[in-house]
Amino acid sequence: DLGLGITFSSTFGSSDVFNSGRTIRDEQLIFYNFALNLQFGRWGFGVSTDLNEYGLDRSPGDDAGGRQDRITGDFLVTHALIGYAFHEGQILIGLGSRSLALNVNTENVPGGEQDLFTASGSSPEAGVLIRPNDAPYRIGVTIRSAVTAQASPSSRLRVVYAGDPENELFLPDRVALPWELHAGAAIQLGPRPFNPTWLDPNREIESVER
């Protein structure tokens, strides 16, 4: 299974997504999404990424020297998982990691694009899905530990456009995602089978060949 997605800032119109006092019309916000799932018998492998690209133009005031610099922040969250189906596919357990990365750079400056700040980190996550054969319901639980991404040694710059009150920005020492606990359930109404018995194609082929 393959998934691709992209969302532009124009989709949000005049929304103040970050509660910053600025509407999206004044800034650039783009979401990129990618997912890939592979299944081999009872084993499953998956990876998904969510990239948020956030651009902010520098006001061409006197302190900016009339330049139209742009600060771009790339927030990337990646999940890499492996799962196995137990008890004829009625209990599925997955383990993996959640990774966080933040990169901040400037564009349209003398010398070309310049990296200002980089931070990355990862932590484990796990989940379980219960889907009894022929039952009209499913139950799932996921837990993710906190992720703390420390600034890289090369990220020495903490203030961007220092001395320019209108555009001055402060970069963080670290970036963190809190721990999460998710639980959910689904119910199928009507005659359509919700949890049909899963048949391992490899096992079916072996019986035919035998």
Side-chain angles (χ1 to χ4, degrees), residues 27-41:
E27 303 166 351
Q28 175 182 320
L29 180 62
I30 304 177
F31 292 95
Y32 301 95
N33 310 100
F34 170 79
L36 175 65
N37 293 323
L38 301 174
Q39 182 178 346
F40 301 93

Side-chain angles (χ1 to χ4, degrees), residues 95-159:
L95 300 173
S97 67
R98 177 174 62 157
S99 302
L100 167 67
L102 169 62
N103 182 69
V104 179
N105 58 63
T106 59
E107 300 176 358
N108 302 326
V109 295
E113 182 176 313
Q114 298 178 1
D115 290 331
L116 303 178
F117 175 86
T118 301
S120 60
S122 62
S123 68
E125 61 181 350
V128 59
L129 175 67
I130 301 175
R131 51 171 305 282
N133 287 338
D134 301 321
Y137 66 88
R138 295 180 183 180
I139 300 174
V141 177
T142 298
I143 184 170
R144 300 186 177 110
S145 58
V147 183
T148 300
Q150 299 289 346
S152 65
S154 61
S155 302
R156 300 177 180 178
L157 185 61
R158 288 293 179 266
V159 183

Side-chain angles (χ1 to χ4, degrees), residues 176-199:
L177 287 177
W179 66 273
E180 300 177 4
L181 176 63
H182 300 263
I187 298 177
Q188 172 70 38
L189 302 178
R192 176 181 176 272
F194 191 39
N195 297 325
T197 302
W198 181 74
L199 300 177

Side-chain angles (χ1 to χ4, degrees), residues 3 16 38 48 62 83 92-93 100 114 165 171:
D16 184 2
L38 301 174
S48 65
D62 295 335
L92 296 90
I93 298 178
L100 167 67
Q114 298 178 1
L171 298 177

Side-chain angles (χ1 to χ4, degrees), residues 79 90 154 163:
H79 300 268
Q90 299 181 92
S154 61

